[in-house]
Amino acid sequence: MNQNTSAPEPARANIKKRGNLSPVWLLPVVALLIVVWLAWKSVSEAGIVIDVQFQNGRGIKQGKTEVMLNGIAVGKVTDIAMSDDLKSVNVTLEMDRRMSSSLTDKSRFWLVRPQVSVAGISGLDTLVSGNYIAFQPDDSGVKRRKFVALPSPPPLGEQEEGLSLTLRAKELSSIQNGSPVYYRRLKIGEVSSYNLSVDDQYVDVEIFIKPQFAHLVRRNTRFWNAGGVELSGSLTNLKVRTQSIVSIVQGGVSLYTPEWEQEFPEAYQGDVFPLYRDYDEAEAGIAVEIDFPLDVALGQEKTRILFHGKEVGLVRDTQLKDDYSGITANVIIRPDAVNLMVKGARFWLVKPSIGLRGVSGLETLLGGRYINMDVSNKDIRAAIPKRHFEGLASEPPASPSAPGLHLKLRAGSLAGISHGSPVLFRKMQVGSVQSHELTDDGVLIRILVNPAYQHLVNDSSRFWNVSGITLHGGLQGFSIKAGTLNSMLAGGIAFDTPDRTSGKVKNGTDFILYDNSEKAHQFGQRITLIFATAEGLRVGTKIKYKGLVVGHLTDLKLDQQEGHIVADALLGENSGWVAHEGSRFWLVRPKLGLTNTANLETLVTGQYIEVLPGSGQETAAETRFTVEMAVPDDLPLSNGLRLQLVSSQLGSIRRGNPIYYREIPVGTVTGYRLADPASQVLIFINIEERYKSLVTRKSRFWNASGIEVKFGLFSGAQIRTESLEALLAGGISFATPEPGEPVAPGYRFTMAEEPESQWLRWAPAISISQ
Amino acid sequence: MKTDPAEVRHWTTGAGVGLKLCLSCHKVCAEQTTHCPRCDARVYQRRQNSITRSWALTLTAALLYIPANLLPMMTVSKFEEGQPQTIFSGVIELMNQGMVPIALLVFTASVVVPVLKLLGMVWLLICVRFPRATMHRQQMLYRMIVWIGRWSMLDIFIISLLVGLVQFGKLGTVTAGIGAYAFASVVVTTMLAAMQFDPRLLWDAAEIKKP
């Protein structure tokens, strides 16, 4: 070393000088820095070695199995060894140094391995990457280095922050660990554990709600068991309720917060809620009792209660009353229908019935019976709460609250009308019969006119029964009256409204229900006619004036005391004036005789009643008249000159015989009767108006009937007759000697048996009044 | 190589006869010349700062060898996040998989050779500092170090190829680890150290020892 040769000496000196400055030494310095840095880093980041005791070491590989926290490896298995007692596996883990503060006695380890179950597949990533050890840090505990791994993943709630609640159920059902908790079928949490309650009476199910959904749980939130498939209802109303495929198999819990209730504060951690058996039960509502008669078969549980088709409650159970007088149904009414449970609410059972008016309640055949309820708006407003009701066996009339026009019809009899019979307007159904009940004087029928048609009813409306078929028959024709087929079978009520502008009616207005359309439209004046006999009479016999029908008989009955027939007649609307004081009625019937055949048409058309209006004032209209059984003899024709002839014999004079003037008929015989005293015969004649001037006080009348045959020896046979008609039918002739003042009506002449010869020569120039 | 100790003692160095060699064009120059008359490069009797540089580089290599072995060389991902492998864990892995020859090869190329190189360099440098008579063995060692140094790059080549070729996304990916850089640095620095080492210093050392 110190024996250096001379040659390298100066070079070495140079090297030394410059070697101190040699930049090449930077390299080892840098390398050293790197190494030092790496060393420091490795020391500073050196793992923390901990021991975790596992029950079994399946799937744990030394040097390979990692400790994962939120998907990030934070450690690694460095060693596996059996425990001393060979019952567990001690796994040595090298944990990330950053985890040092989290390795406390509250931290937990568990092995994650793939799990395939109906509820889903979890830990699928471990299929590829191998099992890993999950680590749940907790800074709050006491630091330690030895741990015992959990046998299974900890409940969800303890892994994350969130809301942990306890549900108290009567039975566990299909709920198991990990069963989902649904809100609107969205999984918002899961069942973390379950256990018997302290007193062993309940099952306490711990659930965990994810933090982002924690606000959904309020103090009034209801939980129900949504597991499996819930089948309820009946064939038409089959409810299959399930939350998800998972919940079918794995069970589940659903929750909802009633919206109608006021806002409740959010639930606190650890709150206890009841867990209802199913959705229906969860909707715990107002308990109501309804008493039904014994013969009402309420059917199965869960009979629904409908209010205008909307379900408002369920029958929870039924039981016999203590005195066996009925059945009490315990009903749970939905909270939102609580306002309907007031005084006045009615409940009745709807069951299927098949009748002439169709099949009703058919849905109950399949869907099971249900209880209908109704309550009027008035009662709702009155809001007198009630919790005990009397149920009805059958449907009551529509409540006054039902929309539409509620009317009362009074009738003598029900006449085929039944509940549900249609109410027809122009043969179109506009309503229906709601109920009928007996009253003191007949029947009270309640009908409901649909709201859309209630404007058709007003003060002037008239209702009549169109039940069945009305058959009117006679020689003049048949008339068959029927409503709709439905009304024929099931009865029905028709109405019409002649005057659309008439006043409106209110609910509950009384109307008369007429037996038929005719009666309903009898607007005119009612009179009473008295007949000696009802022969040939019937209801509907017409009353005519001058051949025009002015009314008809509406009823015939026997007056037992008087022994005559009392008939009710109705005069047409504008024909009331014919019935006045002095009006005369008589029966017109066919007359068949040798010379006097009259009213033959009545053979076919039936008899009728002729009326001759009196001259009385309208205000003094009479309503009771005696009907003459024949045309009155003294009946004047409507116009002309009424005269009376006095004769000793009637001869062949008949009513209707002509009065001749110069063999021209100018009038007729209107009647005859014995004079009083009966020594003479009074013949009533009527001279036509235009020939009135032909009759003066000096006029002479003679009987022109028959053939006058004078047979004399010298004069030979002399035959005189007025005319062939007069020969057959009889007649009266008259002659006037000179013009003169026309006689007053009622003037009485004497009728000669035969004319004097001079009478026949009279030919006065009487001008015929026009 | 002649290893006859009888003959070892009889040689003459260029320095001994006043000559020196231009390392740039290998012209033999006179001792007094500072610049090569042919190529005008600076001419020294011996390589300048050879020992210092060799030491520095060897030391660098030795230091870098630590992280090169402790840090992962590469990460092979198959479907999943792979485990970074250091050289030694790679060798063990190969052994575990039954590929003993390959494991031996890798072990040799990646562990034995660099270590031997480093040790050899240190040995040579020490020999220069403390002259010994076994000059021929040292010469042979030096040549071996130079020759074998290039093979140390085998690992780096493999890693480079794999990183370049195996990029199949999720199916499989190879990424180089920081250990690879350290290892490459080790190889490079050892080669540089070997290159900076002037073997003629061994002669000089032997010359000193000889008398």
Side-chain angles (χ1 to χ4, degrees):
Chain A
M1 291 191 212
N2 35 12
Q3 294 169 311
N4 285 348
T5 54
S6 59
E9 198 168 7
R12 187 169 293 173
N14 279 341
I15 288 166
K16 276 194 174 174
K17 275 190 179 171
R18 298 173 68 177
N20 287 337
L21 301 169
S22 176
V24 81
W25 284 104
L26 276 175
L27 280 174
V29 170
V30 168
L32 186 67
L33 284 177
I34 290 173
V35 170
V36 167
W37 174 68
L38 285 174
W40 174 83
K41 192 181 158 199
S42 68
V43 168
S44 66
E45 290 184 4
I48 302 156
V49 178
I50 56 170
D51 286 329
V52 181
Q53 186 180 339
F54 283 86
Q55 284 196 336
N56 81 54
R58 194 165 9 134
I60 301 177
K61 284 183 190 162
Q62 185 176 349
K64 196 140 203 208
T65 303
E66 291 180 316
V67 181
M68 307 287 274
L69 170 62
N70 295 334
I72 306 286
V74 295
K76 193 188 271 187
V77 173
T78 55
D79 191 24
I80 305 174
M82 288 301 288
S83 66
D84 295 339
D85 56 0
L86 302 180
K87 281 183 178 166
S88 59
V89 178
N90 283 328
V91 176
T92 307
L93 299 179
E94 188 186 328
M95 296 295 291
D96 198 312
R97 177 157 286 277
R98 288 167 292 180
M99 295 295 119
S100 64
S101 63
S102 304
L103 292 166
T104 65
D105 56 350
K106 288 188 180 172
S107 301
R108 281 179 289 192
F109 295 86
W110 67 95
L111 190 64
V112 178
R113 53 169 80 105
Q115 271 185 328
V116 181
S117 69
V118 286
I121 299 171
S122 70
L124 192 65
D125 48 345
T126 61
L127 284 177
V128 176
S129 64
N131 296 350
Y132 60 87
I133 296 167
F135 170 55
Q136 183 194 335
D138 192 329
D139 296 354
S140 59
V142 182
K143 284 192 184 181
R144 57 193 288 183
R145 289 287 181 267
K146 281 191 179 293
F147 299 90
V148 176
L150 300 176
S152 62
L156 187 65
E158 299 173 15
Q159 292 178 43
E160 305 170 33
E161 289 185 3
L163 190 60
S164 289
L165 303 169
T166 302
L167 305 182
R168 181 151 286 186
K170 278 184 182 159
E171 51 192 21
L172 186 61
S173 283
S174 56
I175 291 174
Q176 41 183 290
N177 282 346
S179 291
V181 176
Y182 292 104
Y183 176 77
R184 297 178 193 272
R185 309 217 169 154
L186 172 76
K187 185 176 169 183
I188 62 164
E190 61 183 43
V191 172
S192 50
S193 69
Y194 50 82
N195 213 335
L196 270 181
S197 64
V198 178
D199 55 359
D200 294 344
Q201 297 298 308
Y202 297 97
V203 177
D204 282 346
V205 179
E206 305 285 340
I207 63 165
F208 164 75
I209 308 288
K210 291 182 189 168
Q212 67 265 39
F213 299 116
H215 66 279
L216 295 174
V217 184
R218 304 270 165 174
R219 304 301 293 270
N220 62 334
T221 296
R222 299 180 205 280
F223 294 84
W224 74 92
N225 190 340
V229 182
E230 183 193 334
L231 286 175
S232 66
S234 47
L235 284 175
T236 54
N237 189 29
L238 192 65
K239 282 184 189 166
V240 180
R241 220 174 237 149
T242 175
Q243 294 290 324
S244 71
I245 299 291
V246 172
S247 72
I248 291 176
V249 179
Q250 207 189 7
V253 174
S254 270
L255 66 96
Y256 86 105
T257 305
E259 287 155 12
W260 59 86
E261 292 182 13
Q262 60 191 29
E263 192 98 330
F264 273 73
E266 288 183 21
Y268 292 119
Q269 197 80 16
D271 271 354
V272 178
F273 290 88
L275 178 64
Y276 294 102
R277 200 174 52 193
D278 53 29
Y279 175 77
D280 293 325
E281 195 175 284
E283 286 202 305
I286 296 96
V288 168
E289 286 184 349
I290 306 173
D291 288 342
F292 281 99
L294 262 184
D295 53 346
V296 172
L298 274 176
Q300 77 279 34
E301 266 186 40
K302 297 199 174 175
T303 301
R304 294 171 300 149
I305 295 178
L306 303 184
F307 176 70
H308 293 291
K310 165 102 171 67
E311 189 176 322
V312 297
L314 279 178
V315 173
R316 184 59 58 79
D317 56 53
T318 58
Q319 65 202 44
L320 270 176
K321 281 164 89 171
D322 291 340
D323 55 358
Y324 305 110
S325 64
I327 298 167
T328 302
N330 293 319
V331 173
I332 299 296
I333 298 294
R334 289 185 180 208
D336 51 347
V338 66
N339 292 338
L340 301 175
M341 298 301 121
V342 294
K343 190 163 179 274
R346 297 173 299 175
F347 296 84
W348 67 94
L349 188 73
V350 176
K351 45 193 169 184
S353 75
I354 300 174
L356 282 175
R357 63 189 171 94
V359 181
S360 76
L362 187 65
E363 72 276 15
T364 62
L365 277 179
L366 297 169
R369 297 168 173 204
Y370 59 88
I371 292 171
N372 227 334
M373 73 155 292
D374 197 4
V375 61
S376 70
N377 285 327
K378 206 172 82 180
D379 290 332
I380 292 176
R381 278 195 297 274
I384 304 166
K386 206 178 165 189
R387 293 292 178 263
H388 197 104
F389 297 93
E390 293 295 325
L392 303 165
S394 62
E395 184 179 358
S399 86
S401 73
L405 188 60
H406 299 259
L407 298 174
K408 284 190 248 179
L409 303 182
R410 291 182 188 280
S413 75
L414 208 50
I417 290 167
S418 61
H419 180 96
S421 293
V423 174
L424 307 167
F425 182 78
R426 297 188 180 158
K427 301 213 170 163
M428 180 175 152
Q429 181 164 357
V430 298
S432 64
V433 172
Q434 293 296 325
S435 73
H436 43 75
E437 61 194 66
L438 272 178
T439 59
D440 291 342
D441 56 348
V443 178
L444 178 67
I445 299 167
R446 292 176 200 272
I447 65 166
L448 174 61
V449 179
N450 294 347
Y453 302 110
Q454 66 184 45
H455 65 277
L456 297 173
V457 182
N458 63 23
D459 277 347
S460 70
S461 295
R462 277 162 188 276
F463 293 82
W464 66 92
N465 194 337
V466 291
S467 304
I469 304 174
T470 310
L471 197 64
H472 284 288
L475 285 172
Q476 73 271 37
F478 286 95
S479 78
I480 300 174
K481 288 181 183 171
T484 60
L485 185 64
N486 188 14
S487 69
M488 274 163 59
L489 297 171
I493 291 171
F495 73 93
D496 77 357
T497 303
D499 183 5
R500 285 295 181 80
T501 59
S502 199
K504 290 191 173 176
V505 295
K506 293 189 290 185
N507 272 349
T509 307
D510 271 14
F511 281 94
I512 292 169
L513 178 66
Y514 296 97
D515 287 344
N516 54 44
S517 169
E518 284 72 26
K519 285 192 180 172
H521 292 91
Q522 289 164 355
F523 299 113
Q525 189 180 357
R526 297 189 162 276
I527 57 172
T528 306
L529 299 179
I530 296 164
F531 293 88
T533 169
E535 193 182 345
L537 292 177
R538 56 180 175 82
V539 171
T541 296
K542 292 182 176 66
I543 299 169
K544 293 185 177 177
Y545 173 63
K546 293 189 174 181
L548 189 71
V549 177
V550 295
H552 60 270
L553 298 187
T554 58
D555 193 20
L556 283 169
K557 44 184 183 278
L558 180 68
D559 187 337
Q560 285 184 330
Q561 289 178 341
E562 302 291 334
H564 53 226
I565 304 296
V566 178
D568 289 332
L570 182 81
L571 297 177
E573 202 171 355
N574 301 313
S575 308
W577 57 273
V578 300
H580 290 284
E581 192 176 357
S583 291
R584 298 177 69 177
F585 292 84
W586 64 93
L587 190 64
V588 179
R589 36 187 173 183
K591 200 183 276 180
L592 204 56
L594 184 63
T595 58
N596 194 354
T597 299
N599 306 325
L600 276 183
E601 81 279 9
T602 59
L603 283 175
V604 175
T605 61
Q607 302 176 5
Y608 61 89
I609 296 159
E610 185 81 35
V611 61
L612 182 69
S615 56
Q617 296 300 314
E618 276 195 41
T619 49
E622 273 220 18
T623 58
R624 197 175 178 88
F625 299 92
T626 302
V627 178
E628 297 165 57
M629 296 312 288
V631 181
D633 298 335
D634 57 345
L635 188 73
L637 288 183
S638 57
N639 55 8
L641 184 63
R642 272 182 70 199
L643 298 172
Q644 294 177 15
L645 301 181
V646 180
S647 173
S648 57
Q649 301 281 336
L650 184 61
S652 59
I653 299 297
R654 293 294 179 266
R655 189 170 179 274
N657 279 3
I659 311 295
Y660 297 104
Y661 182 79
R662 295 183 175 275
E663 298 186 6
I664 288 172
V666 296
T668 51
V669 175
T670 59
Y672 45 81
R673 73 160 85 126
L674 275 176
D676 186 24
S679 57
Q680 286 177 313
V681 174
L682 270 179
I683 299 168
F684 302 97
I685 64 168
N686 194 68
I687 304 297
E688 290 178 30
E689 183 76 24
R690 58 191 294 229
Y691 299 122
K692 225 161 62 175
S693 57
L694 294 177
V695 184
T696 68
R697 284 173 183 269
K698 292 178 179 170
S699 295
R700 292 294 178 268
F701 289 79
W702 68 90
N703 189 345
S705 305
I707 305 172
E708 185 189 3
V709 178
K710 283 187 177 171
F711 189 75
L713 201 58
F714 305 104
S715 56
Q718 188 181 358
I719 301 171
R720 189 188 65 85
T721 181
E722 290 282 326
S723 68
L724 189 60
E725 188 187 354
L727 177 73
L728 288 172
I732 294 168
S733 289
F734 75 94
T736 304
E738 58 192 17
E741 279 293 305
V743 295
Y747 192 80
R748 187 175 290 190
F749 290 94
T750 304
M751 186 174 77
E753 282 300 312
E754 57 187 58
E756 294 174 14
S757 57
Q758 58 172 347
W759 296 353
L760 299 174
R761 291 194 295 274
W762 289 345
I766 302 171
S767 66
I768 296 170
S769 56
Q770 294 300 317
Chain B
M1 291 293 136
K2 287 184 186 172
T3 52
D4 184 5
E7 286 182 351
V8 163
R9 292 191 181 98
H10 310 287
W11 76 78
T12 318
T13 60
V17 293
L19 290 174
K20 52 186 179 184
L21 184 69
C22 171
L23 288 176
S24 163
C25 65
H26 290 256
K27 178 180 171 50
V28 179
C29 304
E31 195 176 0
Q32 292 75 22
T33 52
T34 56
H35 287 83
C36 175
R38 184 163 60 193
C39 65
D40 202 29
R42 290 197 68 157
V43 184
Y44 299 102
Q45 189 72 47
R46 292 287 179 263
R47 196 186 284 268
Q48 287 293 99
N49 295 330
S50 170
I51 300 296
T52 313
R53 287 180 184 167
S54 289
W55 268 118
L57 287 168
T58 305
L59 198 60
T60 307
L63 287 171
L64 286 174
Y65 188 72
I66 301 165
N69 273 286
L70 295 180
L71 294 179
M73 288 284 278
M74 65 173 174
T75 306
V76 180
S77 308
K78 286 180 284 184
F79 300 109
E80 257 302 312
E81 203 68 17
Q83 193 68 29
Q85 298 280 11
T86 61
I87 292 170
F88 209 75
S89 68
V91 171
I92 292 169
E93 176 111 353
L94 285 170
M95 294 272 279
N96 287 342
Q97 290 176 8
M99 293 183 276
V100 180
I102 296 174
L104 284 176
L105 187 67
V106 172
F107 183 73
T108 310
S110 304
V111 181
V112 176
V113 171
V115 169
L116 283 181
K117 271 167 71 181
L118 284 170
L119 291 176
M121 279 307 297
V122 171
W123 177 250
L124 289 178
L125 288 167
I126 289 170
C127 284
V128 171
R129 190 75 180 84
F130 305 102
R132 297 181 60 163
T134 56
M135 199 252 304
H136 283 98
R137 246 179 275 168
Q138 291 157 4
Q139 283 288 331
M140 199 172 67
L141 180 64
Y142 173 71
R143 281 197 289 273
M144 222 174 83
I145 287 170
V146 172
W147 176 82
I148 211 168
R150 64 200 70 168
W151 291 103
S152 299
M153 289 302 268
L154 203 61
D155 270 15
I156 304 303
F157 288 150
I158 290 170
I159 292 171
S160 310
L161 280 171
L162 287 176
V163 168
L165 291 174
V166 186
Q167 292 291 346
F168 300 126
K170 283 273 173 196
L171 286 175
T173 312
V174 173
T175 46
I178 195 157
Y181 302 105
F183 189 78
S185 305
V186 170
V187 173
V188 168
T189 44
T190 48
M191 285 170 75
L192 285 174
M195 279 167 65
Q196 285 298 323
F197 183 75
D198 196 336
R200 288 173 295 181
L201 291 172
L202 291 171
W203 310 342
D204 296 341
E207 196 79 3
I208 293 161
K209 185 74 185 176
K210 199 164 53 178

